[in-house]
Amino acid sequence: MNRQPDAQGPDDRISDYLALVSKPMKAIPDEARRNFLREVKTHVETLADHYRDEGRDADAAVSDAMRMIGEPVALGRSWAKSWLAANEPGTFLSAFALSAGILVVLQCIVSFLQPTPRPVMIFVNEKIGAMALCQSIAEMAWIPIVLTAVGAVCGWWKPRGARAGLGGSGAIYAAYLFQLFALGGWPEPAWILFRQYIAQQFPAAASYVIAILVFVILWVVLPLFLGSGLARRERIRRLTRA
């Protein structure tokens, strides 16, 4: 049985190319996707006409035009990522309400599990035991872990306003944490050692402010923004899978 030769013409090859371009664009609204594909088709046809004017045959002209524009799936994914990043859902108020609501619920749970603060522990020129220090750090470790998760939730569902909303709720939560530290309701050994180290590096008047800023950045702001950024990138990656 004789095999029929490939009768696919230039127009069919352009259609196949556009179908590959549109593969990673399933999450893009139909109108926006059609407009972009129309633009790509126009570029292909314009380049193909230019190559034909140079003396190439129709098939070679279309092949060279598509090769010049780029690999179709990568082209579609790149444009889809740009469109999704520019049209993310969410506002500052919605992101702030979501993140603040989660933090309030979590803090209520923590307060229920640990209803009474421990006695204030004062260390002045005394060594803090390794076991107490490890326990203190372990008890503090849940804060950045939870805040990273809160940032991820906000970055996934309200990515457009995530940074501003998380900044607002994070500032309020940081102030709340410092109030607990001042009242002795949080693991004191790690905090006091940290304060002592900062006091050795900077003048006494500035040491407390610097300690606060470092704590806020490392324990509150960085986890919130890290979780938000990772979630936003993962969201776009999943939406642009071919």
Side-chain angles (χ1 to χ4, degrees):
M1 183 176 183
N2 293 331
R3 184 176 179 179
Q4 295 295 328
D6 186 5
Q8 192 178 45
D11 290 340
D12 294 329
R13 296 178 62 194
I14 293 176
S15 297
D16 292 344
Y17 181 85
L18 295 177
L20 292 175
V21 172
S22 67
K23 269 192 171 185
M25 301 168 62
K26 298 180 180 69
I28 306 299
D30 291 341
E31 183 178 358
R33 182 170 65 249
R34 283 195 299 266
N35 289 338
F36 177 70
L37 293 176
R38 191 179 302 115
E39 182 180 348
V40 173
K41 182 180 180 181
T42 299
H43 285 313
V44 172
E45 292 174 344
T46 300
L47 275 175
D49 290 340
H50 173 73
Y51 290 144
R52 277 194 294 268
D53 292 341
E54 292 181 346
R56 306 179 199 183
D57 60 55
D59 287 338
V62 169
S63 297
D64 292 343
M66 292 188 296
R67 188 180 304 112
M68 178 64 67
I69 290 177
E71 199 277 325
V73 175
L75 175 65
R77 180 176 292 113
S78 176
W79 184 86
K81 287 181 177 180
S82 299
W83 190 96
L84 290 169
N87 295 273
E88 291 178 324
T91 61
F92 162 73
L93 289 177
S94 62
F96 175 79
L98 177 61
S99 57
I102 296 174
L103 289 174
V104 168
V105 171
L106 289 174
Q107 195 55 51
C108 289
I109 295 174
V110 171
S111 299
F112 176 78
L113 296 177
Q114 188 180 358
T116 56
R118 295 172 301 169
V120 177
M121 302 166 61
I122 301 176
F123 298 87
V124 180
N125 298 324
E126 295 182 8
K127 291 184 178 180
I128 299 175
M131 184 65 68
L133 179 61
C134 292
Q135 180 184 357
S136 174
I137 294 174
E139 291 177 358
M140 291 176 63
W142 74 269
I143 299 174
I145 294 173
V146 168
L147 292 183
T148 300
V150 172
V153 171
C154 200
W156 184 278
W157 295 105
K158 307 293 181 182
R160 176 176 288 275
R163 289 195 182 121
L166 289 170
S169 61
I172 296 174
Y173 191 66
Y176 173 75
L177 291 180
F178 278 114
Q179 181 185 17
L180 291 183
F181 273 113
L183 295 176
W186 279 86
E188 294 80 7
W191 173 245
I192 291 179
L193 279 181
F194 177 66
R195 284 284 313 282
Q196 290 175 350
Y197 174 77
I198 295 296
Q200 293 172 0
Q201 309 299 320
F202 300 94
S207 63
Y208 187 68
V209 175
I210 294 173
I212 289 176
L213 291 176
V214 172
F215 177 81
V216 169
I217 292 172
L218 294 181
W219 235 249
V220 179
V221 175
L222 186 61
L224 285 173
F225 286 3
L226 176 64
S228 171
L230 292 175
R232 293 174 75 178
R233 284 195 292 271
E234 178 62 16
R235 173 182 174 272
I236 291 178
R237 188 190 70 82
R238 291 197 177 192
L239 290 174
T240 56
R241 285 186 298 189

